[in-house]
């Protein structure tokens, strides 16, 4: 059997469709005038200082936050100027998210945006690197930015790590050479220099964390809404390590946390799952919160009291993601094993409404149309499907074409979402192409690279679309952030 990896897939990938979106009368979607669009035709672009691993667009679409390694680079969307660099993480950024609005507190008069970031830390905050079962190694930082996207807190003079290291080690090296017979150019001296710089950088990061609001834990994945729709609650996870390698004490099992943004305090700490939580979110009316986990359970909690109202699905397999209906009455849950299903439950009764089985292996990106009549899902093998959430009847589908089944296994779909009041569906393929489909006009758009624009790995960060559906921000695998007009 031929070996296949991401690099081989990208070398051999050729865009082709097995099935396109169609109108109700069966007419295949046509290209919107001027499309497809390719690299070089974007409205604007930003050359990043590294590859993006996280992306967020502010609610008013004026500020772009990009995670690059351990830093967050803040850009003005209109001018593409970098206005700020946020430092505080010691490990690579995994997610950045803007709050939907500002919840005023005594010290937030100058705050225009609140940004949260999460990443796995390289060491414990006390400097210990010993890992203990059930302990968090992730950190969440809350950043307050002004109207220009700059950090609101008072800035300090930057620490010059190289200069301080040299100044600190100079007397030590002199003593080792003169009193102990060491050589100034031996490997031991280089090891001292490397260790001192590492220790000083970690100390700088810990110092920077002290002046910020930060939480031990992580943000949920697979499109989880980090904040409640009113912005008053932050939803995050703690102790979220899988138990598939062995049992843990009940108090150390994965935990769902509700953080009050106004009082900066923990409102609820919700336990009950016995394996890692994949998705979590609050209903649009802010009354319910749901957690979906690898233990085969979807738990629905009362957001005010913290009481568990329903335990849904209950399968001997893994659950991956979910989405609330716009009216908060229904919940769709993605099951990944032992078979792939999308379940829809009535949250008033806890009873199953429908079960969709149109995906082969997995479907981890779900979107519910604003009018509540359509569910969309992106799955393995380059497949997007739309169906009726109440009946499970498929409405339309889109699927990439591959002759080689191994190629298909590297062609998943990311970031499926409805925009423009549900008129358009936008999604991104794993190799980086963004597709849009206008449901009303049966026209499609595509933003992609040409065959000669070679890449050796897929982009890490996903796309962002403005609230008015006019701006598309795409971090590409060549280290460029592209801004497209929809």
């Amino acid at each position: 059997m031929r070996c296949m990896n991401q690099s081989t897939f990208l070398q051999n990938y050729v865009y082709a469709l097995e099935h396109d979106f169609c109108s109700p009368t069966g007419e295949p979607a046509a290209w919107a005038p001027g499309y497809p669009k390719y690299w070089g035709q974007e409205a604007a672009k930003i050359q990043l200082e590294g590859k993006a691993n996280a992306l967020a667009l502010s609610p008013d679409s004026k500020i772009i936050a990009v995670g690059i390694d351990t830093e967050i680079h803040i850009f003005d969307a209109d001018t593409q100027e970098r206005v700020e660099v946020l430092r505080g993480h010691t490990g690579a950024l995994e997610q950045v998210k803007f709050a939907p609005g500002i919840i005023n507190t005594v010290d937030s008069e100058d705050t225009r945006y609140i940004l949260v970031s999460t990443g796995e830390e390289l060491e414990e905050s006390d400097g210990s690197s010993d890992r203990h079962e059930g302990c968090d190694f992730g950190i969440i930082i809350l950043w307050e930015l002004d109207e220009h996207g700059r950090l609101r807190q008072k800035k300090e003079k930057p620490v010059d790590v190289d200069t301080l290291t040299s100044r600190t080690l100079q007397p030590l090296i002199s003593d080792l050479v003169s009193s102990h017979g060491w050589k100034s150019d031996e490997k031991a001296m280089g090891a001292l220099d490397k260790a001192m710089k590492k220790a000083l950088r970690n100390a700088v990061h810990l110092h920077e964390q002290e002046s910020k609001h930060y939480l031990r834990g992580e943000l949920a994945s697979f499109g989880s809404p980090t904040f409640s729709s009113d912005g008053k609650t932050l939803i995050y996870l703690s102790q979220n390590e899988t138990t598939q390698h062995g049992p843990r004490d009940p108090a150390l099992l994965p935990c769902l946390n509700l953080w009050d943004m106004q009082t900066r305090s923990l409102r609820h700490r919700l336990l009950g799952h016995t394996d890692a939580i994949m998705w979590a979110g609050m209903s649009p009316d802010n009354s319910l919160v749901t957690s979906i986990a690898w233990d085969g359970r979807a738990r629905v909690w009362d957001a005010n009291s913290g009481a568990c109202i329903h335990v849904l699905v209950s399968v001997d397999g893994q659950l991956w993601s979910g989405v609330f209906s716009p009216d908060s009455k229904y919940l769709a849950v993605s099951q990944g094993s032992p078979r792939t299903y999308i379940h829809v439950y009535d949250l008033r009764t806890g009873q199953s409404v429908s079960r969709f089985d149109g995906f082969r292996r997995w479907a981890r990106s779900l979107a519910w149309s604003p009018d509540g009549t359509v569910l969309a899902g992106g799955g393995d093998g380059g497949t997007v499907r739309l169906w009726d959430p109440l009946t499970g009847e498929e409405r339309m589908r889109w699927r990439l074409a591959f002759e080689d089944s191994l190629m298909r296994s590297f062609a998943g779909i990311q970031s499926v979402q409805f925009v423009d009041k549900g008129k358009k569906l936008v999604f991104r393929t794993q190799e980086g192409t963004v597709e849009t489909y206008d449901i009303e006009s049966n026209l499609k758009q595509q933003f992609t690279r040409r065959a000669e624009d070679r890449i050796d790995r897929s982009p890490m960060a996903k796309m962002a679309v403005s609230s008015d559906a006019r701006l598309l921000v795409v971090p590409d695998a060549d280290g460029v952030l592209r801004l497209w007009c929809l």
Side-chain angles (χ1 to χ4, degrees):
M1 180 177 290
R2 185 165 63 87
C3 178
M4 179 66 65
N5 55 34
Q6 187 179 93
S7 178
T8 304
F9 167 79
L10 291 169
Q11 289 174 12
N12 294 279
Y13 176 77
V14 177
Y15 178 83
L17 284 182
E18 177 183 303
H19 197 284
D20 204 350
F21 292 118
C22 295
S23 69
T25 59
E27 182 180 354
W31 288 114
Y35 289 87
K37 287 189 180 296
Y38 301 99
W39 289 4
Q41 295 179 306
E42 60 275 343
K45 66 180 181 179
I46 300 170
Q47 181 63 58
L48 301 175
E49 296 178 3
K51 292 187 177 180
N53 48 14
L55 173 72
L57 186 62
S58 64
D60 58 8
S61 308
K62 293 183 178 180
I63 303 296
I64 304 170
V66 185
I68 302 175
D69 195 18
T70 64
E71 301 175 342
I72 305 170
H73 292 221
I74 305 296
F75 297 94
D76 184 302
D78 291 329
T79 66
Q80 294 83 56
E81 175 191 3
R82 189 177 70 182
V83 297
E84 185 67 277
V85 178
L86 308 178
R87 300 180 177 92
H89 288 276
T90 60
L93 269 295
E94 295 173 355
Q95 292 190 63
V96 290
K97 296 284 188 71
F98 279 100
I102 301 302
I103 305 303
N104 293 324
T105 59
V106 175
D107 60 348
S108 67
E109 292 182 1
D110 299 327
T111 299
R112 176 67 176 271
Y113 309 102
I114 292 179
L115 181 73
V116 296
S117 57
T118 185
E120 186 169 305
E121 297 301 283
L122 296 181
E123 294 184 346
E124 282 279 19
S125 58
D126 62 0
S128 171
S129 59
D130 295 330
R131 187 165 186 138
H132 300 285
E133 190 173 44
C135 291
D136 287 322
F137 275 69
I139 191 170
I140 299 166
I141 300 180
L142 283 71
W143 312 85
E144 295 187 12
L145 308 179
D146 66 16
E147 61 180 334
H148 304 292
R150 297 186 177 93
L151 195 62
R152 196 177 67 86
Q153 291 95 330
K154 182 180 178 181
K155 291 188 177 182
E156 300 176 344
K157 182 180 178 181
V159 175
D160 188 332
V161 172
D162 291 339
T163 300
L164 285 180
T165 298
S166 178
R167 188 185 304 165
T168 303
L169 289 181
Q170 188 174 7
L172 175 60
I173 291 173
S174 297
D175 187 60
L176 289 172
V177 171
S178 60
S179 302
H180 300 277
W182 289 33
K183 295 179 180 179
S184 58
D185 59 350
E186 65 179 273
K187 290 182 179 179
M189 296 300 191
L192 275 175
D193 182 81
K194 184 177 180 180
M196 175 61 74
K197 286 179 178 176
K198 180 180 179 181
L200 187 53
R201 288 192 184 100
N202 284 340
V204 168
H205 284 304
L206 293 173
H207 170 74
E208 290 172 339
Q209 288 178 7
E210 289 297 320
S211 63
K212 302 174 179 67
H213 296 290
Y214 69 95
L215 306 165
R216 300 296 295 177
E218 63 190 67
L219 302 180
S221 53
F222 299 109
S224 299
T226 298
F227 293 91
S228 58
S229 61
D230 60 9
K232 294 181 179 180
T233 305
L234 168 69
I235 303 133
Y236 73 98
L237 311 175
S238 57
Q239 304 173 177
N240 198 41
E241 295 178 344
T242 182
T243 56
Q244 295 178 19
H245 305 302
R248 289 208 301 271
D249 184 281
L252 296 177
L253 288 172
C255 181
L256 174 68
N257 303 279
L258 304 185
W259 179 264
D260 190 303
M261 290 294 294
Q262 188 166 18
T263 63
R264 296 292 198 271
S265 63
L266 187 63
R267 188 188 307 149
H268 291 300
R269 188 171 184 270
L270 307 175
L271 290 163
H273 285 292
T274 57
D275 206 344
I277 300 170
M278 292 292 104
W279 186 95
M282 190 169 286
S283 59
D285 65 2
N286 305 310
S287 66
L288 303 173
V289 62
T290 292
S291 49
I292 293 172
W294 275 358
D295 61 6
R297 309 291 186 270
R299 291 181 172 268
V300 181
W301 318 78
D302 184 293
N304 294 318
S305 68
C308 185
I309 301 172
H310 300 299
V311 179
L312 307 176
V313 188
S314 191
V315 298
D316 293 328
Q318 295 178 336
L319 304 183
W320 284 91
S321 63
V323 64
F324 282 97
S325 63
D327 60 8
S328 303
K329 294 180 180 179
Y330 301 95
L331 176 75
V333 180
S334 169
Q335 175 185 331
S337 65
R339 289 195 61 182
T340 300
Y341 293 115
I342 310 299
H343 303 268
V344 174
Y345 282 86
D346 187 325
L347 293 172
R348 295 161 293 187
T349 64
Q351 298 301 306
S352 175
V353 173
S354 68
R355 188 179 73 177
F356 183 71
D357 63 355
F359 294 96
R360 296 180 182 180
R361 292 179 56 241
W362 54 262
R364 297 170 189 165
S365 182
L366 300 176
W368 208 306
S369 65
D371 65 3
T373 63
V374 178
L375 260 173
D380 71 295
T383 304
V384 177
R385 294 180 183 268
L386 283 72
W387 68 98
D388 187 310
L390 301 185
T391 66
E393 179 182 357
E394 185 171 275
R395 297 277 185 84
M396 62 180 72
R397 68 183 184 274
W398 182 96
R399 185 173 171 84
L400 290 170
F402 295 100
E403 294 182 1
D404 187 336
S405 61
L406 289 178
M407 287 285 289
R408 185 174 292 283
S409 65
F410 282 81
I413 299 295
Q414 302 176 334
S415 307
V416 175
Q417 63 185 99
F418 286 96
V419 300
D420 196 12
K421 299 179 181 179
K423 296 177 184 178
K424 283 185 179 180
L425 184 71
V426 185
F427 57 95
R428 193 178 196 191
T429 64
Q430 194 166 332
E431 56 83 35
T433 296
V434 176
E435 307 267 353
T436 81
Y437 174 63
D438 190 308
I439 298 171
E440 292 185 350
S441 68
N442 200 35
L443 295 177
K444 59 183 179 179
Q445 299 170 314
Q446 185 186 72
F447 308 88
T448 189
R449 57 190 172 89
R450 298 181 190 275
E452 57 267 27
D453 297 318
R454 292 290 181 180
I455 57 175
D456 59 5
R457 66 178 63 188
S458 297
M460 295 176 64
K462 299 178 177 64
M463 65 182 183
V465 183
S466 63
S467 56
D468 62 5
R470 294 178 181 271
L471 175 65
L472 170 67
V473 183
V474 182
D476 283 311
D478 62 344
V480 173
L481 188 72
R482 290 182 168 84
L483 283 64
W484 303 91
C485 294
L486 285 177

